Amino acid sequence: TAVIKTFERPGPCADLVRSIQRLYPAMPIIVVDDSREPRAIAGTELVRLPFDSGVGAGRQAGLERVATPFVLNLDDDFLLYRGTRLGAALDALRLYPELDLVGGRVIDLPLLISHDFRAAGLFPTKAQPKITPGTRFGPVEVLDKVPNFFLARTEAVRAVGWNLKLKRLDHADFFTRARGRIVSGMLEDMRVLHRRDPFNAGYRAFRDDLAADLAYLRATYGG
């Protein structure tokens, strides 16, 4: 099941849904929308949340609706294309029971920029990884943290859960809490396109309002 958390970006979200339906027409799609006016999209299950509930509450609400053994986590400004190759990630999860979550490369448009998550940091934690980062299971390299584009065992993600107190900055918190509980890896051949929209002023006013999240993260992790 694909789970999309969206907020005030109906156009990009609809484009993402169409890209999923074109490539994986049988895949169930759950759209969690906390916009002022959540919009239903044909062929999807819409979960309406109160305005600006935040990404943590949204991802958790979507996760609770998943009825399949695997879940695909997506941001609303992604696009699937022929290089996405979800089958390779699904094969890895089925072949290697040690793996719980397989992330893919996120390619920022229009310059085709992507980031190396081997250097991506976590918040301070005493938890030790279940499997040493850098270990390989076939084409998948174990990492502490991967992009927010991943295919995972539904129950593994539920074992960690999303932080309802975080409206924007959920990413590092999720993988910090996941360390020692689940095993994440990176599959370079699974890719998604990322359409950033820096000129959407209405959206950015909320997306850049980070004070409450930063205060919470400082209180929780220090620094």
Side-chain angles (χ1 to χ4, degrees):
T1 302
V3 175
I4 305 167
K5 165 62 183 70
T6 189
F7 176 73
E8 296 294 318
R9 294 198 288 197
C13 184
D15 290 342
L16 170 57
V17 168
R18 282 191 289 269
S19 75
I20 298 170
Q21 293 172 335
R22 184 175 64 253
L23 292 171
Y24 302 99
M27 183 183 295
I29 303 172
I30 297 171
V31 176
V32 185
D33 195 343
D34 59 344
S35 304
R36 285 187 178 87
E37 298 180 2
R39 301 186 187 184
I41 302 174
T44 72
E45 176 185 352
L46 175 63
V47 180
R48 293 179 172 89
L49 293 186
F51 177 65
D52 194 26
S53 293
V55 68
R59 293 200 198 280
Q60 188 65 27
L63 182 64
E64 290 170 0
R65 300 292 187 100
V66 174
T68 56
F70 300 100
V71 59
L72 176 66
N73 188 70
L74 296 165
D75 289 342
D76 61 359
D77 56 354
F78 288 164
L79 274 178
L80 274 61
Y81 75 116
R82 61 184 180 181
T84 300
R85 298 178 185 171
L86 297 179
L90 187 59
D91 288 345
L93 288 166
R94 287 173 168 163
L95 184 60
Y96 302 107
E98 300 90 343
L99 290 171
D100 297 302
L101 183 155
V102 176
R105 183 169 290 279
V106 175
I107 302 172
D108 292 342
L109 299 177
L111 300 180
L112 304 182
I113 296 170
S114 59
H115 303 281
D116 186 353
F117 269 73
R118 294 181 185 87
L122 302 177
F123 293 116
T125 176
K126 294 181 180 178
Q128 296 299 310
K130 294 177 70 174
I131 296 177
T132 304
T135 302
R136 298 197 72 93
F137 292 95
V140 178
E141 180 180 0
V142 173
L143 297 181
D144 276 331
K145 180 180 175 184
V146 302
N148 264 336
F149 165 56
F150 59 74
L151 184 68
R153 303 183 197 280
T154 303
E155 292 308 314
V157 181
R158 285 181 175 147
V160 179
W162 300 99
N163 194 330
L164 305 186
K165 295 181 179 180
L166 292 173
K167 284 190 172 185
R168 326 285 182 215
L169 303 176
D170 62 305
H171 191 183
D173 172 80
F174 174 86
F175 283 99
T176 298
R177 293 183 294 104
R179 193 180 199 200
R181 303 172 72 179
I182 68 174
V183 178
S184 303
M186 187 77 175
L187 177 62
E188 296 288 340
D189 284 342
M190 184 176 76
R191 304 180 178 192
V192 73
L193 302 177
H194 184 201
R195 301 192 300 168
R196 292 183 180 275
D197 186 8
F199 305 111
N200 185 339
Y203 168 79
R204 297 304 316 182
F206 289 93
R207 179 64 181 84
D208 295 337
D209 182 10
L210 305 178
D213 278 14
L214 290 172
Y216 172 83
L217 293 170
R218 282 194 296 268
T220 302
Y221 296 107

